[in-house]
Amino acid sequence: MSRQVVRSSKFRHVFGQPAKADQCYEDVRVSQTTWDSGFCAVNPKFMALICEASGGGAFLVLPLTKTGRVDKNVPTVCGHTAPVLDIAWCPHNDNVIASGSEDCMVMIWEIPDGGLTLPLREPVVTLEGHTKRVGIVAWHPTAQNVLLSAGCDNVILVWDVGTGSAVLTLGPDIHPDTIYSVEWNRDGALLCTSCRDKRVRVIDPRKGTVLAEKERPHEGTRPVRAVFVSDGKILTTGFSRMSERQVALWDMQKLEEPLSLQELDTSSGVLLPFFDPDTNIVYLCGKGDSSIRYFEITAEAPFLHYLSMFSSKESQRGMGYMPKRGLEVNKCEIARFYKLHERKCEPIAMTVPRKSDLFQEDLYPPTAGPDPALTAEEWLGGKDAGPLLVSLKDGYVPPKSRELRVNRGLDSGRKRGTTESTAGPSTEAMSRLEEELRQLRATVQEQQKRLDELEEKITGK
């Protein structure tokens, strides 16, 4: 009788630990919009989530330390005129966040240290170019001020945020139908996309060419998600012909057959994959699920190894994923998720149990730091570079707040940037103040009009 040998892995006993009630964010109204994005974005300074808003689109930004019950009148970022569909923090500036909305706009916002004290209505930059709603925004991992957006017009635009202009366009000739997901690879040289036409594509965005393509990575009709993982591999999540959820691993050079294909369950929620290149672990979070599955990817067959699953009682409306530099290394925390409930955001720490309190070098190799490796011009010129790595041995210390530098000469009407300060307020600053004053007066007039109408109804009775 043969004995089955259990594969050894230091991540076999990773366990999830939900935060205590006082470390959660209570009384937040999570968006009810039906869109398959995470609805939440986090970094070492802030937690942002897309919330319900009347008469437009808004998202909430809170300092990580501001836990507990959230005041219902807390200021929000509310410059969009239609629901916000996706948000993403800049990897090179923890105070800058991008948002895409049903109003066809992409907006870049600068959040002050300590969070908002007043509603933020004026973006630093407004990026106009899509003709239908924008459902995906993703920053370039290594080049400064490079942002990607994908809309329901089947177009991917790559923006230079510093100039506010679209520098690359991947049109409907590449994606003839709705784009489900877009992901950069680790050095930002390639894109991996999944589309409603049931194809996964690997694209060189600067040349506008499709380098590899796989038709029907999953037989089902429901949305497919695709991400780059280590060693030129791609991981996809989708559905079988019998509507069973699947996860598959592919070699980018040989897309004919998957390296590994596993069936998971029969739930209907789309699986959102989060890959950690430092540990080669991929986490799968399904919208509407109450669990997080995690797998380890190795270089030898069978390549994709199921590790374990974190389960809880309540289902998740969305999920945020903390960059490695925001974790607590003294607690052997290798990942942290921010799970959105109906009215709450709950941090969940993924921890490797270790007896020693010393820094565990095998768990924390040098990881991507906050400094960009390239300028936008260098990347557009054809240069590639991996992320600049930092050690977490002595804990991560966030750098001082950085200004988002924007070339204001291109469009001073709708774009506002921080440049070198001048003596006294500029003409542009004065015009911004006048515009804000005009908006406030209009709001007061609307409220007064509503007040008069209510008084007439009451006295009429």
Side-chain angles (χ1 to χ4, degrees), residues 376-393:
E377 292 78 14
E378 287 173 334
W379 181 75
L380 288 167
K383 192 173 180 182
D384 292 320
L388 299 179
L389 305 180
V390 295
S391 172
L392 299 178
K393 185 168 186 178

Side-chain angles (χ1 to χ4, degrees), residues 158 168-170 184 188-191 203-209 379:
V158 178
L168 298 171
T169 302
L170 303 175
W184 297 97
L190 302 174
L191 295 175
I203 301 169
D204 184 332
R206 287 169 293 197
K207 294 179 180 177
T209 55
W379 181 75

Side-chain angles (χ1 to χ4, degrees), residues 63 97 110 134 145 154 171 175 189 246 276 313 320 357 360-361 373:
I97 188 170
E110 195 158 19
V134 180
N145 285 352
N154 310 336
H175 297 97
Q246 297 177 324
D276 178 4
K313 292 180 181 178
D357 292 334
Q360 307 292 313
E361 292 195 27

Side-chain angles (χ1 to χ4, degrees), residues 130-350:
H130 288 285
T131 57
K132 292 186 179 179
R133 60 183 180 171
V134 180
I136 300 170
V137 288
W139 292 91
H140 193 285
T142 61
Q144 189 173 28
N145 285 352
V146 175
L147 176 74
L148 170 153
S149 64
C152 290
D153 50 7
N154 310 336
V155 172
I156 295 175
L157 295 175
V158 178
W159 306 87
D160 182 347
V161 173
T163 61
S165 58
V167 290
L168 298 171
T169 302
L170 303 175
D173 54 320
I174 295 179
H175 297 97
D177 211 329
T178 303
I179 300 165
Y180 286 143
S181 70
V182 185
E183 293 283 343
W184 297 97
N185 69 342
R186 190 156 164 80
D187 66 0
L190 302 174
L191 295 175
C192 181
T193 69
S194 62
C195 180
R196 196 173 182 175
D197 68 353
K198 301 182 178 60
R199 291 174 185 265
V200 168
R201 297 172 173 85
V202 177
I203 301 169
D204 184 332
R206 287 169 293 197
K207 294 179 180 177
T209 55
V210 178
L211 304 181
E213 189 174 64
K214 173 62 182 174
E215 186 175 6
R216 285 190 171 275
H218 301 274
E219 290 293 326
T221 57
R222 308 233 31 235
V224 169
R225 290 292 179 121
V227 294
F228 283 107
V229 293
S230 53
D231 302 324
K233 297 184 180 72
I234 294 170
L235 182 130
T236 60
T237 62
F239 295 79
S240 70
R241 197 187 296 274
M242 303 300 292
S243 295
E244 296 169 306
R245 291 198 297 193
Q246 297 177 324
V247 57
L249 190 68
W250 308 81
D251 186 336
M252 199 172 78
Q253 308 300 326
K254 295 176 288 185
L255 287 173
E256 295 81 21
E257 292 293 328
L259 297 172
S260 176
L261 176 65
Q262 298 185 27
E263 292 187 347
L264 303 177
D265 56 26
T266 55
S267 297
S268 60
V270 174
L271 286 166
L272 307 179
F274 298 90
F275 176 65
D276 178 4
D278 299 338
T279 59
N280 282 325
I281 294 178
V282 64
Y283 302 87
L284 303 183
C285 309
K287 295 202 78 169
D289 286 9
S290 56
S291 61
I292 302 172
R293 289 181 176 85
Y294 31 107
F295 297 77
E296 186 175 3
I297 298 172
T298 59
E300 305 85 26
F303 302 105
L304 188 64
H305 306 271
Y306 174 75
L307 291 174
S308 187
M309 178 170 66
F310 165 79
S311 296
S312 58
K313 292 180 181 178
E314 295 184 71
S315 61
Q316 55 227 19
R317 291 194 52 78
M319 194 71 78
Y321 180 64
M322 175 67 77
K324 188 62 68 74
R325 54 195 172 89
L327 304 180
E328 295 189 51
V329 296
N330 59 333
K331 295 183 179 178
C332 295
E333 184 183 28
I334 61 167
R336 190 190 308 156
F337 291 90
Y338 284 72
K339 174 181 174 178
L340 299 186
H341 301 249
E342 194 86 17
R343 306 272 301 182
K344 181 173 79 170
C345 177
E346 177 187 40
I348 298 170
M350 296 291 178

Side-chain angles (χ1 to χ4, degrees), residues 29 49-61 73-84 87 97 99 101 103 107-109 111 116 118-123 439 443:
R29 303 187 313 276
L49 63 88
I50 301 172
C51 58
E52 280 290 287
S54 56
F59 59 94
L60 184 68
V61 178
N73 296 318
V74 67
T76 58
V77 181
C78 50
H80 285 286
T81 58
V84 177
I87 50 178
I97 188 170
S99 59
S101 165
D103 63 9
M107 294 184 178
I108 313 298
W109 311 87
I111 309 299
L116 300 175
L118 292 170
L120 186 57
R121 295 184 175 89
E122 285 294 318
Q439 290 178 354
T443 303

